[in-house]
Amino acid sequence: MTTALKVRLGAGLLHHARVLPGCIALTIGSRGYTYEEAAATARRWAALLVEAAGGRPRRVGVFAHRSEASYLGVAAALCAGAAFVPLNRKFPAERTRSMLERADVDAVIVDSASLPGLAGLLRDLPRNPVVLLPDAVRSQAGDLGDARALGESADEAVAAARAAVECLEFRLRVPGRRGVTV
């Protein structure tokens, strides 16, 4: 038997941002992120993903490791209504490039530590994804084609205008399971 469930991917983060806004949701090193901060960042990045993709992106690569970009990048992809594709800079470049090609990502969120390896991965892809750089400036990116840096004034204006982006609802079919939370 297949049960259709109406769940909102990323809804837990948004719920906690409403009911426990000042509580710590995530700690990276010595930096703590409250639920409110995490949700606001995920929504802002989601708005940028939607804007950059010209609509809801299908798949977003997250090329980051144990950083703000990795954790909040996943939340942003989900809030934008996209599937996320985890990409690990420690994997062989050929494997990561193959994942990028097969997934046909619309965008990639990259942390500054992973940025040096990105140009080679994107070179000669059939379709160049938009690159969002949450903790780097565009000038650090080198030749990435359509790279777009979060934090540039134009991006902040777009983000402010679309900050109300909510996580999209999906109907999931889970064989033989009821009440599954994603």
Side-chain angles (χ1 to χ4, degrees):
M1 176 176 140
T2 301
T3 304
L5 300 174
K6 186 175 181 179
V7 297
R8 294 169 52 120
L9 300 176
L13 174 62
L14 299 178
H15 169 75
H16 282 86
R18 282 189 304 273
V19 299
L20 300 168
C23 291
I24 298 296
L26 173 67
T27 301
I28 302 171
S30 61
R31 167 76 161 95
Y33 295 83
T34 65
Y35 282 105
E36 185 174 45
E37 289 175 304
T41 300
R43 283 181 169 149
R44 188 175 68 250
W45 294 359
L48 291 169
L49 290 170
V50 169
E51 183 69 24
R56 184 177 69 90
R58 295 167 299 133
R59 288 171 292 280
V60 174
V62 179
F63 190 46
H65 183 71
R66 295 183 182 175
S67 64
E68 179 187 46
S70 64
Y71 300 116
L72 299 180
V74 169
L78 295 175
C79 283
F84 71 91
V85 179
L87 303 168
N88 189 330
R89 69 176 174 258
K90 295 181 180 188
F91 287 170
E94 302 80 33
R95 179 178 178 185
T96 303
R97 181 175 166 72
S98 174
M99 291 171 67
L100 278 169
E101 267 185 85
R102 291 176 183 201
D104 189 29
V105 297
D106 297 310
V108 180
I109 298 174
V110 185
D111 65 10
S112 59
S114 302
L115 188 56
L118 188 64
L121 296 173
L122 298 181
R123 193 170 297 117
D124 300 323
L125 281 179
R127 188 172 63 88
N128 207 10
V130 172
V131 178
L132 300 180
L133 308 164
D135 60 355
V137 293
R138 177 64 180 94
S139 60
Q140 293 174 315
D143 184 19
L144 296 179
D146 293 333
R148 182 175 190 168
L150 294 177
E152 293 178 354
S153 60
D155 288 341
E156 290 299 325
V158 168
R162 304 194 91 193
V165 169
E166 290 286 340
C167 294
L168 301 176
E169 291 185 3
F170 287 85
R171 292 199 178 270
L172 299 179
R173 297 197 178 277
V174 182
R177 305 278 315 264
R178 292 179 191 241
V180 175
T181 303
V182 178

